Amino acid sequence: MVNFLTKAIIKLTTKLNPIAVGTKFFPTNSLETEYVELFNYTQTILFELDKAEITSDSILQNLIRDVGEENFPKDYNFYELTPAENRIEEYALVSNIIMGSDRYFYIELPHPSRLIDIFEKIIQSEKGEVVEKTATELVAKMLSKNDAIRVAIELIGIGLSEGIQVISAVGMTGAASIERAINYTKNVGSFPGIAFTKLGGEYALVFDSPFLLRESKPVDLENYLFIDLIDSTKFIGKHGRNQLVDLMTGIKNFIETECDGELEGYREGGDDFIAKFPSKDLAIRAGLDAAWFALDNGAKIRAGVGRSRREAGERAQLVDSLDSTSPLSLVIFELANGLYAYNIPSEFTRTLINLIENEKAKLIGVFAFVFIFAYVLSVIGLGVFSFVGVIFALVYAFIA
């Protein structure tokens, strides 16, 4: 969350609603540490452009869309075990961007069965990795949470056709998926189904009658990132065209080598491009890295993430229509049914945020100096020059 004074300053300078500055995500390895340090060092701001309305109905509809309606049987029950809060948790978002969307899922049979070997082959054919396996249990790692849910539904259907009740659960780790399966049986019972989380809430799909899907297959959700350098003419005038080429080439190489992106229609020397990614989290991560890299080279970008080239481009263009006091370096994306953006703030905004968050005593001293300076000038009849105190204070803030 953002404290009141910081939020007021950000709103004043951007005219947008901030959710978080930096991140509260706790890193556990070198990659996570690198990203958390970047979020906090650059004071990256998460803005809420269009608030998501998070309800159990919207979560179910998004789940059906992402997993694929063709991968759902006609008859099922959807349970809300723990409701999601109607707000976005920034650290959960950061976790997904940094760690990706790899998910584990757990399968449990009531008694030993040959199905466990069939399940293993199906998981492997779906590009999953079986981590642990016994006569009645199986833990596997899938490419994404949606893939894990989709495959679990398929396996539950096979179990029902054989008269075997299969219980499954999805989690960030194998242990988390097992724990969620335990909670599922406590809350729902030993009915065939799958437990999972969405946006901080706990949910379950429960199946009463046998079903067999014709063919379970991944939904082809395309993810595009549109990037455009803000005021490239001014950048070229200040740094030269060669610097522009180096900047865009650096972003291009990172996207291709680190984020599995495929660039489309890039022209060397150009100031924009579009890239396709295998998942949305990779597209957002690429946009953030591009924005950080641009900031380090004295530039700003506007970026949009969408399911089509047009949608990504339209979201990038939103940067121009925002009623901000200055051009913002933004990465805009959809989350649930809302619209959000990461902003890499200017040096001036970062200085103000740092003063408010970490240098409160210094900030109080600055305000006291300005007040006393203005008071003394007014006493001696030079109140018209009080603005000089503000200039001194700003210079001190930047130097400090």
Side-chain angles (χ1 to χ4, degrees):
M1 295 298 289
V2 186
N3 75 46
F4 175 78
L5 189 53
T6 303
K7 188 171 185 176
I9 293 293
I10 294 173
K11 272 193 168 184
L12 180 65
T13 56
T14 66
K15 299 184 180 180
L16 298 175
N17 182 40
I19 295 178
V21 176
T23 180
K24 294 180 180 178
F25 181 78
F26 184 79
T28 57
N29 57 47
S30 58
L31 177 64
E32 292 173 10
T33 299
E34 176 187 350
Y35 272 87
V36 168
E37 287 178 350
L38 277 169
F39 270 101
N40 292 328
Y41 174 74
T42 60
Q43 304 279 14
T44 298
I45 304 170
L46 176 61
F47 284 118
E48 188 172 62
L49 305 182
D50 185 11
K51 188 179 187 305
E53 290 300 325
I54 301 170
T55 64
S56 60
D57 183 62
S58 67
I59 284 175
L60 176 59
Q61 295 308 313
N62 287 341
L63 178 69
I64 293 173
R65 177 198 66 192
D66 294 340
V67 173
E69 190 171 1
E70 67 278 10
N71 295 318
F72 271 73
K74 290 183 179 179
D75 298 321
Y76 62 87
N77 293 299
F78 179 69
Y79 291 96
E80 182 181 73
L81 306 180
T82 304
E85 293 187 41
N86 194 17
R87 63 190 180 93
I88 298 300
E89 295 288 356
E90 68 81 18
Y91 50 85
L93 178 59
V94 171
S95 170
N96 191 53
I97 293 169
I98 298 174
M99 298 174 65
S101 56
D102 287 352
R103 291 295 184 272
Y104 291 82
F105 81 109
Y106 170 73
I107 290 286
E108 180 183 5
L109 308 182
H111 50 74
S113 168
R114 64 181 179 81
L115 279 184
I116 205 75
D117 296 321
I118 296 173
F119 288 174
E120 180 181 23
K121 291 178 181 178
I122 291 173
I123 290 167
Q124 290 171 342
S125 70
E126 293 282 359
K127 300 179 181 179
E129 175 188 352
V130 174
V131 179
E132 296 287 345
K133 176 189 158 190
T134 67
T136 59
E137 297 175 301
L138 186 150
V139 177
K141 182 182 180 183
M142 300 300 294
L143 295 177
S144 71
K145 179 188 290 187
N146 291 331
D147 274 332
I149 294 173
R150 176 181 60 81
V151 173
I153 292 173
E154 180 184 5
L155 301 187
I156 290 167
I158 294 172
L160 282 168
S161 67
E162 296 284 333
I164 296 175
Q165 295 184 325
V166 177
I167 292 174
S168 180
V170 178
M172 284 289 292
T173 64
S177 63
I178 293 170
E179 185 176 17
R180 186 156 291 123
I182 294 170
N183 292 334
Y184 169 89
T185 54
K186 286 180 179 178
N187 287 281
V188 179
S190 298
F191 301 103
I194 176 169
F196 55 92
T197 62
K198 282 285 185 179
L199 298 173
E202 298 273 348
Y203 301 91
L205 288 168
V206 181
F207 306 94
D208 301 311
S209 53
F211 66 88
L212 197 60
L213 301 171
R214 283 180 297 177
E215 183 183 2
S216 180
K217 58 183 180 180
V219 178
D220 187 20
L221 291 177
E222 298 181 325
N223 303 277
Y224 292 93
L225 171 68
F226 183 97
I227 288 181
D228 180 30
L229 198 69
I230 294 175
D231 204 347
S232 58
T233 303
K234 182 179 178 181
F235 181 86
I236 292 172
K238 184 176 180 180
H239 301 282
R241 179 165 290 278
N242 287 340
Q243 185 71 14
L244 172 69
V245 173
D246 291 343
L247 172 63
M248 299 303 288
T249 301
I251 295 174
K252 168 185 173 293
N253 291 341
F254 178 84
I255 285 175
E256 290 178 324
T257 59
E258 300 294 329
C259 298
D260 297 327
E262 298 177 11
L263 263 71
E264 299 182 355
Y266 173 68
R267 176 179 61 84
E268 186 171 323
D271 62 357
D272 59 7
F273 59 74
I274 194 163
K276 183 180 177 181
F277 296 84
S279 63
K280 185 169 76 172
D281 54 275
L282 282 174
I284 297 173
R285 178 175 161 183
L288 270 169
D289 278 290
W292 285 328
F293 185 69
L295 173 71
D296 197 42
N297 286 271
K300 294 180 179 180
I301 66 165
R302 54 178 189 166
V305 176
R307 292 190 179 88
S308 68
R309 298 168 183 84
R310 181 183 180 87
E311 189 175 67
E314 287 175 341
R315 286 180 180 159
Q317 286 184 347
L318 281 176
V319 176
D320 298 334
S321 62
L322 295 175
D323 186 23
S324 175
T325 54
S326 63
L328 299 176
S329 188
L330 290 182
V331 182
I332 300 177
F333 54 93
E334 179 190 46
L335 193 58
N337 52 8
L339 206 58
Y340 295 81
Y342 274 117
N343 165 237
I344 314 301
S346 65
E347 190 69 32
F348 176 74
T349 304
R350 288 163 59 193
T351 300
L352 286 178
I353 293 172
N354 185 59
L355 280 171
I356 297 168
E357 296 286 336
N358 306 312
E359 304 285 352
K360 291 183 176 64
K362 188 181 293 183
L363 185 64
I364 292 170
V366 168
F367 275 112
F369 166 77
V370 173
F371 176 79
I372 294 171
F373 185 85
Y375 177 75
V376 170
L377 286 183
S378 65
V379 168
I380 63 177
L382 298 175
V384 71
F385 295 106
S386 298
F387 71 90
V388 176
V390 177
I391 295 174
F392 283 149
L394 290 175
V395 171
Y396 169 74
F398 278 111
I399 293 174

